[in-house]
Amino acid sequence: MTREEDIRQAVETMRKGGVILYPTDTVWGIGCDATNAEAVARVYQIKQRDDSKALICLVDSDARMQRYIRNVPEVAWQLIDSLTSSQESSGSPVRPTTLILDGAINLAPNLIAEDGSIGIRITNEPFSKELCYRFQKAIVSTSANISGEPAAQNYCDIDPRILEAVDYVCWSRRQEHKPHTPSAIIRLRENGEVEIIRK
């Protein structure tokens, strides 16, 4: 199967409210339309995770990110610019970084934390970036594991219960066997306060 066909099928599944398994810029992820509350509820169910623990979402660009945050603080743009420029100058990929931002809008209510914040990441990994671009919306991205168990770094690490529970499993990057780590997480508040949650 070509990557294009794989992405087309994944997009079609999410448009119908389905849940997918896909490779991201970090570990393998469980994904769905981030604006569809029923699909998000299924992701919590598959992970056996309490829905008070907010999930994150992936987007393909800073323009797309702006659709889901009422006011992106200036410090967020500075951080995104510095990550991009350090990647360009070093030539090696920078560790993916998830930003937790206040004032989430246009997303499924059960995706947003009680304080109104959302974890969001701009992916630069080719497959997930193209997937987000083709879907034209934010995509839920939570590690493909049962809550409390280790994250699936590669396709071969995914629990069979998760493989059976989703509607579509992407073919791309299934053969990989290399270490992948979860993203760094930085909390940025509207007042400019910065908190590093995971380095």
Side-chain angles (χ1 to χ4, degrees), residues 56-77:
I56 71 156
C57 54
L58 282 189
V59 290
D60 61 316
S61 64
D62 47 14
R64 185 106 49 215
M65 183 172 81
Q66 285 180 284
R67 285 193 197 176
Y68 303 108
I69 307 294
R70 193 170 285 109
N71 293 303
V72 178
E74 185 54 39
V75 67
W77 296 126

Side-chain angles (χ1 to χ4, degrees), residues 125-190:
E125 181 275 325
F127 183 85
S128 52
K129 191 177 184 78
E130 178 80 358
L131 183 65
C132 290
Y133 174 73
R134 295 277 172 212
F135 191 54
Q136 295 283 297
K137 284 188 201 176
I139 298 175
V140 166
S141 178
T142 180
S143 54
N145 59 309
I146 304 291
S147 201
E149 293 181 5
Q153 293 188 32
N154 295 289
Y155 172 76
C156 58
D157 304 320
I158 300 170
D159 188 307
R161 290 172 292 176
I162 289 180
L163 290 169
E164 285 162 22
V166 300
D167 303 302
Y168 182 73
V169 182
C170 290
W171 288 89
S172 300
R173 293 179 49 204
R174 282 196 194 185
Q175 308 308 319
E176 270 183 12
H177 290 279
K178 61 182 186 184
H180 294 277
T181 51
S183 70
I185 301 177
I186 299 177
R187 174 78 163 94
L188 302 175
R189 298 189 187 276
E190 282 180 296

Side-chain angles (χ1 to χ4, degrees), residues 22-38:
Y22 68 113
T24 75
D25 53 344
T26 58
V27 295
W28 269 73
I30 303 174
C32 69
D33 178 349
T35 68
N36 182 328
E38 283 179 29

Side-chain angles (χ1 to χ4, degrees), residues 41-160:
R42 272 195 60 212
V43 173
Y44 281 114
Q45 199 182 348
I46 290 167
K47 277 185 75 82
Q48 298 171 27
R49 180 172 177 169
D50 181 351
D51 66 7
S52 66
K53 293 182 176 176
L55 302 172
I56 71 156
C57 54
L58 282 189
V59 290
D60 61 316
S61 64
D62 47 14
R64 185 106 49 215
M65 183 172 81
Q66 285 180 284
R67 285 193 197 176
Y68 303 108
I69 307 294
R70 193 170 285 109
N71 293 303
V72 178
E74 185 54 39
V75 67
W77 296 126
Q78 290 166 359
L79 184 62
I80 290 164
D81 287 347
S82 74
L83 289 170
T84 306
S85 59
S86 65
Q87 179 162 330
E88 284 166 1
S89 62
S90 69
S92 59
V94 172
R95 181 163 177 205
T97 301
T98 300
L99 303 180
I100 298 178
L101 300 169
D102 293 322
I105 52 170
N106 304 323
L107 292 164
N110 51 347
L111 192 59
I112 300 168
E114 283 177 14
D115 64 1
S117 66
I118 186 70
I120 195 162
R121 187 166 76 247
I122 299 170
T123 176
N124 287 309
E125 181 275 325
F127 183 85
S128 52
K129 191 177 184 78
E130 178 80 358
L131 183 65
C132 290
Y133 174 73
R134 295 277 172 212
F135 191 54
Q136 295 283 297
K137 284 188 201 176
I139 298 175
V140 166
S141 178
T142 180
S143 54
N145 59 309
I146 304 291
S147 201
E149 293 181 5
Q153 293 188 32
N154 295 289
Y155 172 76
C156 58
D157 304 320
I158 300 170
D159 188 307

